[in-house]
Short mmCIF file of all heavy atoms in Angstrom, two decimals:
data_model
loop_
_atom_site.label_atom_id
_atom_site.label_comp_id
_atom_site.label_asym_id
_atom_site.label_seq_id
_atom_site.Cartn_x
_atom_site.Cartn_y
_atom_site.Cartn_z
N ASN A 66 -8.68 6.52 7.34
CA ASN A 66 -8.91 5.43 6.37
C ASN A 66 -8.61 4.08 7.04
O ASN A 66 -7.47 3.81 7.40
CB ASN A 66 -7.99 5.64 5.16
CG ASN A 66 -8.19 4.57 4.11
OD1 ASN A 66 -7.80 3.42 4.30
ND2 ASN A 66 -8.80 4.95 3.00
N PRO A 67 -9.62 3.24 7.22
CA PRO A 67 -9.42 2.01 7.99
C PRO A 67 -8.30 1.12 7.44
O PRO A 67 -7.49 0.60 8.22
CB PRO A 67 -10.77 1.29 7.89
CG PRO A 67 -11.76 2.34 7.55
CD PRO A 67 -11.02 3.38 6.75
N GLU A 68 -8.22 0.97 6.13
CA GLU A 68 -7.20 0.09 5.56
C GLU A 68 -5.80 0.67 5.74
O GLU A 68 -4.85 -0.04 6.08
CB GLU A 68 -7.46 -0.15 4.07
CG GLU A 68 -8.73 -0.95 3.77
CD GLU A 68 -10.01 -0.12 3.87
OE1 GLU A 68 -9.92 1.13 3.71
OE2 GLU A 68 -11.08 -0.70 4.13
N ALA A 69 -5.67 1.97 5.52
CA ALA A 69 -4.37 2.61 5.65
C ALA A 69 -3.90 2.61 7.11
O ALA A 69 -2.73 2.36 7.41
CB ALA A 69 -4.41 4.04 5.11
N PHE A 70 -4.83 2.87 8.03
CA PHE A 70 -4.50 2.91 9.45
C PHE A 70 -4.05 1.53 9.91
O PHE A 70 -3.02 1.38 10.59
CB PHE A 70 -5.71 3.39 10.25
CG PHE A 70 -5.48 3.51 11.73
CD1 PHE A 70 -4.37 4.17 12.22
CD2 PHE A 70 -6.37 2.95 12.63
CE1 PHE A 70 -4.15 4.28 13.59
CE2 PHE A 70 -6.17 3.05 14.00
CZ PHE A 70 -5.06 3.71 14.48
N LYS A 71 -4.81 0.51 9.52
CA LYS A 71 -4.46 -0.86 9.90
C LYS A 71 -3.10 -1.25 9.31
O LYS A 71 -2.26 -1.84 10.00
CB LYS A 71 -5.55 -1.82 9.40
CG LYS A 71 -5.55 -3.18 10.06
CD LYS A 71 -6.78 -3.99 9.63
CE LYS A 71 -6.89 -5.29 10.41
NZ LYS A 71 -7.31 -5.09 11.80
N TYR A 72 -2.90 -0.88 8.05
CA TYR A 72 -1.64 -1.23 7.38
C TYR A 72 -0.45 -0.58 8.09
O TYR A 72 0.57 -1.24 8.33
CB TYR A 72 -1.70 -0.80 5.91
CG TYR A 72 -0.47 -1.12 5.12
CD1 TYR A 72 -0.26 -2.40 4.60
CD2 TYR A 72 0.52 -0.16 4.89
CE1 TYR A 72 0.88 -2.70 3.87
CE2 TYR A 72 1.66 -0.45 4.17
CZ TYR A 72 1.84 -1.71 3.67
OH TYR A 72 2.98 -2.00 2.95
N ALA A 73 -0.58 0.69 8.42
CA ALA A 73 0.52 1.40 9.08
C ALA A 73 0.84 0.77 10.44
O ALA A 73 2.01 0.52 10.76
CB ALA A 73 0.17 2.88 9.26
N CYS A 74 -0.19 0.48 11.22
CA CYS A 74 0.04 -0.14 12.54
C CYS A 74 0.67 -1.53 12.38
O CYS A 74 1.64 -1.86 13.08
CB CYS A 74 -1.28 -0.25 13.31
SG CYS A 74 -1.99 1.35 13.78
N ASP A 75 0.13 -2.32 11.46
CA ASP A 75 0.65 -3.68 11.26
C ASP A 75 2.10 -3.66 10.78
O ASP A 75 2.92 -4.50 11.18
CB ASP A 75 -0.20 -4.43 10.23
CG ASP A 75 -1.59 -4.79 10.78
OD1 ASP A 75 -1.78 -4.68 12.00
OD2 ASP A 75 -2.46 -5.17 9.98
N GLN A 76 2.43 -2.70 9.92
CA GLN A 76 3.79 -2.61 9.41
C GLN A 76 4.78 -2.22 10.52
O GLN A 76 5.90 -2.73 10.56
CB GLN A 76 3.86 -1.57 8.29
CG GLN A 76 3.32 -2.09 6.96
CD GLN A 76 4.17 -3.20 6.38
OE1 GLN A 76 5.35 -3.02 6.14
NE2 GLN A 76 3.58 -4.36 6.19
N LEU A 77 4.36 -1.36 11.41
CA LEU A 77 5.24 -0.99 12.53
C LEU A 77 5.48 -2.19 13.43
O LEU A 77 6.61 -2.45 13.87
CB LEU A 77 4.64 0.18 13.33
CG LEU A 77 4.81 1.56 12.68
CD1 LEU A 77 3.92 2.61 13.34
CD2 LEU A 77 6.27 2.02 12.74
N VAL A 78 4.43 -2.95 13.70
CA VAL A 78 4.59 -4.17 14.51
C VAL A 78 5.52 -5.15 13.79
O VAL A 78 6.42 -5.75 14.41
CB VAL A 78 3.22 -4.83 14.78
CG1 VAL A 78 3.40 -6.21 15.40
CG2 VAL A 78 2.38 -3.94 15.70
N GLU A 79 5.33 -5.30 12.50
CA GLU A 79 6.14 -6.24 11.70
C GLU A 79 7.63 -5.91 11.80
O GLU A 79 8.47 -6.81 11.92
CB GLU A 79 5.67 -6.18 10.24
CG GLU A 79 6.48 -6.99 9.25
CD GLU A 79 6.32 -8.50 9.42
OE1 GLU A 79 5.31 -8.92 10.04
OE2 GLU A 79 7.22 -9.24 8.97
N LYS A 80 7.95 -4.62 11.79
CA LYS A 80 9.36 -4.19 11.82
C LYS A 80 10.05 -4.58 13.13
O LYS A 80 11.27 -4.71 13.18
CB LYS A 80 9.45 -2.66 11.68
CG LYS A 80 8.84 -2.11 10.41
CD LYS A 80 9.78 -2.15 9.24
CE LYS A 80 9.20 -1.40 8.05
NZ LYS A 80 9.97 -1.63 6.81
N PHE A 81 9.26 -4.70 14.21
CA PHE A 81 9.86 -4.96 15.52
C PHE A 81 9.46 -6.32 16.09
O PHE A 81 9.66 -6.58 17.27
CB PHE A 81 9.44 -3.86 16.51
CG PHE A 81 9.97 -2.50 16.15
CD1 PHE A 81 9.13 -1.50 15.70
CD2 PHE A 81 11.33 -2.22 16.27
CE1 PHE A 81 9.62 -0.23 15.37
CE2 PHE A 81 11.83 -0.96 15.94
CZ PHE A 81 10.98 0.03 15.49
N LYS A 82 8.93 -7.19 15.23
CA LYS A 82 8.32 -8.42 15.76
C LYS A 82 9.33 -9.38 16.36
O LYS A 82 8.96 -10.23 17.17
CB LYS A 82 7.49 -9.12 14.67
CG LYS A 82 8.27 -9.77 13.56
CD LYS A 82 7.29 -10.47 12.63
CE LYS A 82 7.94 -11.35 11.58
NZ LYS A 82 9.16 -10.90 10.97
N ASP A 83 10.60 -9.26 16.00
CA ASP A 83 11.60 -10.18 16.53
C ASP A 83 12.30 -9.65 17.77
O ASP A 83 13.25 -10.24 18.27
CB ASP A 83 12.65 -10.49 15.45
CG ASP A 83 12.01 -11.18 14.26
OD1 ASP A 83 11.08 -11.99 14.48
OD2 ASP A 83 12.43 -10.92 13.12
N ILE A 84 11.83 -8.51 18.27
CA ILE A 84 12.45 -7.88 19.43
C ILE A 84 11.50 -8.02 20.63
O ILE A 84 10.30 -7.83 20.50
CB ILE A 84 12.69 -6.38 19.16
CG1 ILE A 84 13.69 -6.21 18.03
CG2 ILE A 84 13.15 -5.65 20.42
CD1 ILE A 84 13.91 -4.76 17.64
N GLN A 85 12.07 -8.34 21.79
CA GLN A 85 11.23 -8.37 22.98
C GLN A 85 10.90 -6.95 23.40
O GLN A 85 11.78 -6.10 23.52
CB GLN A 85 11.95 -9.09 24.14
CG GLN A 85 11.05 -9.25 25.37
CD GLN A 85 11.84 -9.49 26.65
OE1 GLN A 85 12.87 -10.14 26.62
NE2 GLN A 85 11.35 -8.95 27.77
N VAL A 86 9.61 -6.68 23.58
CA VAL A 86 9.16 -5.34 23.97
C VAL A 86 8.26 -5.46 25.20
O VAL A 86 7.23 -6.12 25.15
CB VAL A 86 8.40 -4.65 22.82
CG1 VAL A 86 7.79 -3.34 23.29
CG2 VAL A 86 9.30 -4.43 21.62
N ASP A 87 8.65 -4.84 26.30
CA ASP A 87 7.83 -4.85 27.51
C ASP A 87 6.85 -3.68 27.51
O ASP A 87 5.72 -3.80 27.97
CB ASP A 87 8.71 -4.75 28.76
CG ASP A 87 9.70 -5.90 28.86
OD1 ASP A 87 9.27 -7.06 28.69
OD2 ASP A 87 10.89 -5.64 29.09
N LYS A 88 7.34 -2.52 27.04
CA LYS A 88 6.51 -1.32 27.05
C LYS A 88 6.70 -0.52 25.78
O LYS A 88 7.80 -0.46 25.23
CB LYS A 88 6.84 -0.45 28.27
CG LYS A 88 6.28 -1.03 29.56
CD LYS A 88 6.80 -0.34 30.78
CE LYS A 88 6.21 -1.00 32.04
NZ LYS A 88 7.02 -0.70 33.25
N VAL A 89 5.61 0.05 25.33
CA VAL A 89 5.64 0.99 24.21
C VAL A 89 5.33 2.36 24.78
O VAL A 89 4.35 2.51 25.52
CB VAL A 89 4.60 0.61 23.14
CG1 VAL A 89 4.55 1.68 22.04
CG2 VAL A 89 4.90 -0.76 22.54
N CYS A 90 6.16 3.35 24.47
CA CYS A 90 5.82 4.71 24.89
C CYS A 90 5.63 5.59 23.67
O CYS A 90 6.18 5.33 22.60
CB CYS A 90 6.87 5.30 25.83
SG CYS A 90 8.47 5.64 25.08
N ALA A 91 4.80 6.61 23.82
CA ALA A 91 4.55 7.52 22.72
C ALA A 91 4.38 8.92 23.27
O ALA A 91 4.08 9.12 24.44
CB ALA A 91 3.32 7.10 21.93
N ILE A 92 4.56 9.88 22.37
CA ILE A 92 4.56 11.28 22.76
C ILE A 92 3.22 11.91 22.37
O ILE A 92 2.76 11.75 21.24
CB ILE A 92 5.75 12.00 22.09
CG1 ILE A 92 7.06 11.36 22.56
CG2 ILE A 92 5.73 13.49 22.40
CD1 ILE A 92 8.06 11.10 21.50
N GLU A 93 2.62 12.62 23.31
CA GLU A 93 1.32 13.23 23.06
C GLU A 93 1.39 14.21 21.91
O GLU A 93 2.39 14.88 21.75
CB GLU A 93 0.82 13.92 24.36
CG GLU A 93 0.82 15.42 24.39
CD GLU A 93 0.10 15.96 25.63
OE1 GLU A 93 -1.11 16.17 25.58
OE2 GLU A 93 0.80 16.17 26.63
N ALA A 94 0.32 14.33 21.12
CA ALA A 94 -0.87 13.52 21.17
C ALA A 94 -0.92 12.57 19.96
O ALA A 94 -1.46 11.49 20.05
CB ALA A 94 -2.11 14.42 21.13
N ARG A 95 -0.31 12.96 18.83
CA ARG A 95 -0.43 12.09 17.64
C ARG A 95 0.29 10.76 17.83
O ARG A 95 -0.11 9.75 17.26
CB ARG A 95 0.11 12.81 16.40
CG ARG A 95 -0.81 13.91 15.88
CD ARG A 95 -0.29 14.47 14.57
NE ARG A 95 1.04 15.00 14.70
CZ ARG A 95 1.32 16.25 15.07
NH1 ARG A 95 0.36 17.10 15.30
NH2 ARG A 95 2.57 16.64 15.18
N GLY A 96 1.35 10.75 18.64
CA GLY A 96 2.06 9.50 18.87
C GLY A 96 1.17 8.43 19.48
O GLY A 96 1.35 7.23 19.22
N TYR A 97 0.19 8.86 20.27
CA TYR A 97 -0.70 7.89 20.93
C TYR A 97 -1.55 7.13 19.92
O TYR A 97 -1.95 5.99 20.17
CB TYR A 97 -1.66 8.61 21.89
CG TYR A 97 -1.03 9.29 23.08
CD1 TYR A 97 -1.81 9.98 23.99
CD2 TYR A 97 0.35 9.26 23.30
CE1 TYR A 97 -1.27 10.62 25.10
CE2 TYR A 97 0.91 9.90 24.39
CZ TYR A 97 0.10 10.58 25.29
OH TYR A 97 0.64 11.23 26.37
N VAL A 98 -1.84 7.77 18.79
CA VAL A 98 -2.73 7.16 17.79
C VAL A 98 -2.14 5.85 17.27
O VAL A 98 -2.86 4.88 17.05
CB VAL A 98 -2.96 8.15 16.62
CG1 VAL A 98 -3.74 7.50 15.49
CG2 VAL A 98 -3.67 9.41 17.12
N PHE A 99 -0.82 5.82 17.11
CA PHE A 99 -0.15 4.61 16.63
C PHE A 99 0.43 3.81 17.81
O PHE A 99 0.35 2.58 17.82
CB PHE A 99 0.95 4.99 15.64
CG PHE A 99 0.41 5.75 14.46
CD1 PHE A 99 0.47 7.13 14.42
CD2 PHE A 99 -0.19 5.09 13.40
CE1 PHE A 99 -0.05 7.85 13.34
CE2 PHE A 99 -0.72 5.79 12.33
CZ PHE A 99 -0.65 7.17 12.30
N GLY A 100 0.99 4.49 18.78
CA GLY A 100 1.67 3.81 19.87
C GLY A 100 0.78 2.90 20.68
O GLY A 100 1.18 1.79 21.06
N SER A 101 -0.44 3.33 20.93
CA SER A 101 -1.32 2.50 21.76
C SER A 101 -1.74 1.24 21.02
O SER A 101 -1.84 0.16 21.62
CB SER A 101 -2.54 3.30 22.23
OG SER A 101 -3.27 3.77 21.13
N VAL A 102 -1.95 1.34 19.71
CA VAL A 102 -2.31 0.15 18.93
C VAL A 102 -1.15 -0.84 18.92
O VAL A 102 -1.33 -2.05 19.08
CB VAL A 102 -2.70 0.53 17.49
CG1 VAL A 102 -2.98 -0.73 16.67
CG2 VAL A 102 -3.90 1.46 17.47
N ILE A 103 0.06 -0.32 18.76
CA ILE A 103 1.24 -1.19 18.72
C ILE A 103 1.46 -1.86 20.07
O ILE A 103 1.79 -3.04 20.14
CB ILE A 103 2.45 -0.38 18.24
CG1 ILE A 103 2.23 -0.08 16.74
CG2 ILE A 103 3.76 -1.11 18.46
CD1 ILE A 103 2.90 1.14 16.27
N ALA A 104 1.23 -1.12 21.15
CA ALA A 104 1.33 -1.73 22.49
C ALA A 104 0.32 -2.87 22.61
O ALA A 104 0.67 -3.98 23.06
CB ALA A 104 1.06 -0.68 23.57
N TYR A 105 -0.91 -2.61 22.20
CA TYR A 105 -1.95 -3.64 22.26
C TYR A 105 -1.52 -4.88 21.47
O TYR A 105 -1.59 -6.00 21.97
CB TYR A 105 -3.27 -3.08 21.71
CG TYR A 105 -4.40 -4.08 21.68
CD1 TYR A 105 -5.34 -4.15 22.71
CD2 TYR A 105 -4.52 -4.97 20.63
CE1 TYR A 105 -6.36 -5.07 22.68
CE2 TYR A 105 -5.54 -5.92 20.60
CZ TYR A 105 -6.46 -5.96 21.63
OH TYR A 105 -7.46 -6.89 21.60
N LEU A 106 -1.08 -4.66 20.24
CA LEU A 106 -0.77 -5.78 19.35
C LEU A 106 0.46 -6.56 19.81
O LEU A 106 0.59 -7.74 19.55
CB LEU A 106 -0.55 -5.28 17.92
CG LEU A 106 -1.79 -4.69 17.23
CD1 LEU A 106 -1.41 -4.09 15.87
CD2 LEU A 106 -2.89 -5.74 17.05
N MET A 107 1.38 -5.89 20.53
CA MET A 107 2.60 -6.55 20.98
C MET A 107 2.48 -7.04 22.43
O MET A 107 3.48 -7.47 23.01
CB MET A 107 3.79 -5.60 20.83
CG MET A 107 4.05 -5.18 19.39
SD MET A 107 5.60 -4.27 19.15
CE MET A 107 6.78 -5.63 18.95
N ASP A 108 1.28 -6.98 22.99
CA ASP A 108 1.06 -7.41 24.38
C ASP A 108 2.00 -6.67 25.34
O ASP A 108 2.53 -7.27 26.29
CB ASP A 108 1.25 -8.92 24.53
CG ASP A 108 0.17 -9.70 23.79
OD1 ASP A 108 -1.00 -9.30 23.86
OD2 ASP A 108 0.51 -10.70 23.13
N ALA A 109 2.18 -5.40 25.07
CA ALA A 109 3.06 -4.57 25.91
C ALA A 109 2.23 -3.55 26.67
O ALA A 109 1.09 -3.25 26.30
CB ALA A 109 4.10 -3.87 25.02
N GLY A 110 2.81 -2.99 27.73
CA GLY A 110 2.15 -1.88 28.40
C GLY A 110 2.33 -0.61 27.59
O GLY A 110 3.29 -0.49 26.82
N PHE A 111 1.40 0.32 27.75
CA PHE A 111 1.51 1.58 27.02
C PHE A 111 1.80 2.72 27.99
O PHE A 111 1.12 2.89 29.00
CB PHE A 111 0.22 1.89 26.24
CG PHE A 111 0.30 3.16 25.45
CD1 PHE A 111 1.18 3.28 24.39
CD2 PHE A 111 -0.47 4.27 25.79
CE1 PHE A 111 1.29 4.46 23.67
CE2 PHE A 111 -0.37 5.46 25.07
CZ PHE A 111 0.51 5.55 24.01
N ILE A 112 2.84 3.51 27.67
CA ILE A 112 3.28 4.61 28.53
C ILE A 112 3.05 5.95 27.84
O ILE A 112 3.48 6.15 26.71
CB ILE A 112 4.79 4.47 28.86
CG1 ILE A 112 5.08 3.13 29.53
CG2 ILE A 112 5.26 5.65 29.72
CD1 ILE A 112 4.42 2.90 30.86
N LEU A 113 2.38 6.86 28.55
CA LEU A 113 2.07 8.18 28.01
C LEU A 113 3.18 9.17 28.39
O LEU A 113 3.40 9.44 29.57
CB LEU A 113 0.74 8.71 28.58
CG LEU A 113 -0.55 8.00 28.16
CD1 LEU A 113 -0.75 6.69 28.91
CD2 LEU A 113 -1.75 8.92 28.39
N ILE A 114 3.85 9.70 27.37
CA ILE A 114 4.77 10.83 27.58
C ILE A 114 3.99 12.09 27.22
O ILE A 114 3.34 12.15 26.19
CB ILE A 114 6.04 10.67 26.71
CG1 ILE A 114 6.82 9.45 27.19
CG2 ILE A 114 6.89 11.94 26.75
CD1 ILE A 114 8.07 9.15 26.38
N ARG A 115 4.03 13.08 28.13
CA ARG A 115 3.16 14.24 27.94
C ARG A 115 3.89 15.57 28.07
O ARG A 115 5.02 15.64 28.51
CB ARG A 115 2.00 14.19 28.96
CG ARG A 115 1.12 12.94 28.80
CD ARG A 115 -0.28 13.18 29.29
NE ARG A 115 -0.98 14.16 28.46
CZ ARG A 115 -2.26 14.48 28.58
NH1 ARG A 115 -3.00 13.90 29.51
NH2 ARG A 115 -2.81 15.39 27.79
N LYS A 116 3.20 16.62 27.68
CA LYS A 116 3.68 17.97 27.92
C LYS A 116 3.61 18.23 29.44
O LYS A 116 2.82 17.58 30.14
CB LYS A 116 2.79 18.98 27.17
CG LYS A 116 2.54 18.65 25.70
CD LYS A 116 3.77 18.87 24.82
CE LYS A 116 3.62 18.20 23.45
NZ LYS A 116 2.47 18.64 22.65
N PRO A 117 4.38 19.21 29.93
CA PRO A 117 4.43 19.44 31.38
C PRO A 117 3.06 19.77 31.99
O PRO A 117 2.25 20.47 31.37
CB PRO A 117 5.36 20.65 31.51
CG PRO A 117 6.20 20.63 30.27
CD PRO A 117 5.30 20.08 29.20
N GLY A 118 2.82 19.25 33.18
CA GLY A 118 1.62 19.59 33.93
C GLY A 118 0.40 18.75 33.63
O GLY A 118 -0.65 18.93 34.24
N LYS A 119 0.52 17.83 32.69
CA LYS A 119 -0.64 17.04 32.30
C LYS A 119 -0.74 15.72 33.07
O LYS A 119 -1.82 15.19 33.25
CB LYS A 119 -0.58 16.70 30.80
CG LYS A 119 -0.51 17.90 29.87
CD LYS A 119 -1.81 18.66 29.86
CE LYS A 119 -1.85 19.72 28.76
NZ LYS A 119 -1.94 19.16 27.41
N LEU A 120 0.40 15.19 33.49
CA LEU A 120 0.38 13.91 34.20
C LEU A 120 0.14 14.18 35.69
O LEU A 120 0.76 15.07 36.27
CB LEU A 120 1.70 13.16 34.00
CG LEU A 120 1.91 12.61 32.59
CD1 LEU A 120 3.36 12.14 32.41
CD2 LEU A 120 0.95 11.46 32.30
N PRO A 121 -0.75 13.40 36.32
CA PRO A 121 -1.19 13.74 37.68
C PRO A 121 -0.22 13.37 38.80
O PRO A 121 -0.22 14.03 39.84
CB PRO A 121 -2.49 12.96 37.82
CG PRO A 121 -2.34 11.78 36.91
CD PRO A 121 -1.53 12.28 35.74
N ALA A 122 0.57 12.34 38.63
CA ALA A 122 1.43 11.88 39.74
C ALA A 122 2.85 12.43 39.56
O ALA A 122 3.08 13.33 38.76
CB ALA A 122 1.40 10.36 39.82
N ASN A 123 3.80 11.90 40.32
CA ASN A 123 5.17 12.42 40.27
C ASN A 123 5.85 12.09 38.95
O ASN A 123 5.76 10.97 38.46
CB ASN A 123 5.99 11.86 41.42
CG ASN A 123 5.49 12.36 42.77
OD1 ASN A 123 5.01 13.49 42.87
ND2 ASN A 123 5.58 11.51 43.78
#
Side-chain angles (χ1 to χ4, degrees):
Chain A
N66 181 288
E68 293 78 24
F70 182 49
K71 198 172 187 73
Y72 180 81
C74 293
D75 289 347
Q76 282 294 302
L77 282 167
V78 170
E79 175 70 20
K80 301 276 189 191
F81 295 110
K82 71 177 189 322
D83 298 324
I84 296 176
Q85 185 200 325
V86 173
D87 301 312
K88 285 169 181 160
V89 174
C90 68
I92 299 136
E93 108 171 271
R95 286 187 301 272
Y97 295 179
V98 173
F99 302 97
S101 60
V102 177
I103 289 153
Y105 178 96
L106 294 174
M107 299 189 86
D108 293 318
F111 181 66
I112 302 297
L113 292 77
I114 294 178
R115 299 207 66 173
K116 311 288 165 58
K119 302 290 190 70
L120 290 168
N123 294 327

